[in-house]
Amino acid sequence: MNSKIVFLLNTMAEHNKLGKKGEEIAVAYLQERAYVILETNWRAQNTEIDIIARKGDTLVVVEVKTRSSIEFGLPQDFVKPAQIQRLVKAIDHYVTLNNLDLEIRFDIIAINKLFSDYNVEHIEDAFYFF
């Protein structure tokens, strides 16, 4: 195999590991704060919702962004309008499918890795939908 291809595959594997680790940290973080995790990596209409949780009468949709460096921006800066629209459509499908009547809130959990430590920032009501 070409060394360039091997490097790209290894880079992608590390990126995926970091993302998976970030989602695990986010789940633990939410559970420590009395959120009930309903779904992780729930998929609908070509969209994946990282975490669907419930706290009281609120359904919380959580987008997890994990970065090993903030050199190119904060993790939360990578949630773009098109992704927000897809998340809104997907959670609408989830609510309909499960016949839920709850308030819905969209949060971002931004995780920055610094050496072996992870800094977690929970942004509640990160964006709104109409």
Side-chain angles (χ1 to χ4, degrees):
M1 198 182 280
N2 180 317
S3 63
K4 192 174 190 178
I5 293 171
V6 170
F7 173 76
L8 289 174
L9 291 175
N10 288 338
T11 302
M12 287 173 53
E14 289 303 314
H15 173 77
N16 291 340
K17 285 181 191 176
L18 181 63
K20 184 70 173 159
K21 178 68 174 174
E23 289 177 5
E24 291 169 1
I25 290 168
V27 165
Y29 174 91
L30 291 169
Q31 288 174 326
E32 288 172 3
R33 286 152 182 81
Y35 287 77
V36 176
I37 306 302
L38 303 175
E39 307 279 352
T40 57
N41 305 114
W42 190 82
R43 295 189 66 80
Q45 305 163 346
N46 296 325
T47 300
E48 180 178 290
I49 298 175
D50 294 330
I51 302 170
I52 301 173
R54 184 171 177 170
K55 187 155 188 187
D57 292 333
T58 303
L59 189 67
V60 184
V61 179
V62 182
E63 178 64 20
V64 181
K65 292 294 185 187
T66 308
R67 295 290 182 266
S68 58
S69 167
I70 59 170
E71 182 178 346
F72 299 107
L74 298 172
Q76 59 268 33
D77 295 339
F78 291 89
V79 180
K80 303 297 182 190
Q83 182 181 13
I84 292 169
Q85 288 178 338
R86 289 191 306 273
L87 289 170
V88 169
K89 287 181 184 178
I91 200 63
D92 183 55
H93 181 70
Y94 181 85
V95 166
T96 301
L97 190 66
N98 292 285
N99 195 30
L100 298 175
D101 185 21
L102 298 168
E103 294 292 321
I104 300 172
R105 188 178 83 210
F106 292 88
D107 292 2
I108 296 173
I109 293 186
I111 301 173
N112 296 310
K113 182 179 182 205
L114 183 60
F115 303 108
S116 61
D117 292 329
Y118 294 87
N119 178 44
V120 178
E121 181 180 2
H122 184 185
I123 305 162
E124 294 183 7
D125 285 319
F127 51 88
Y128 300 93
F129 65 97
F130 300 95

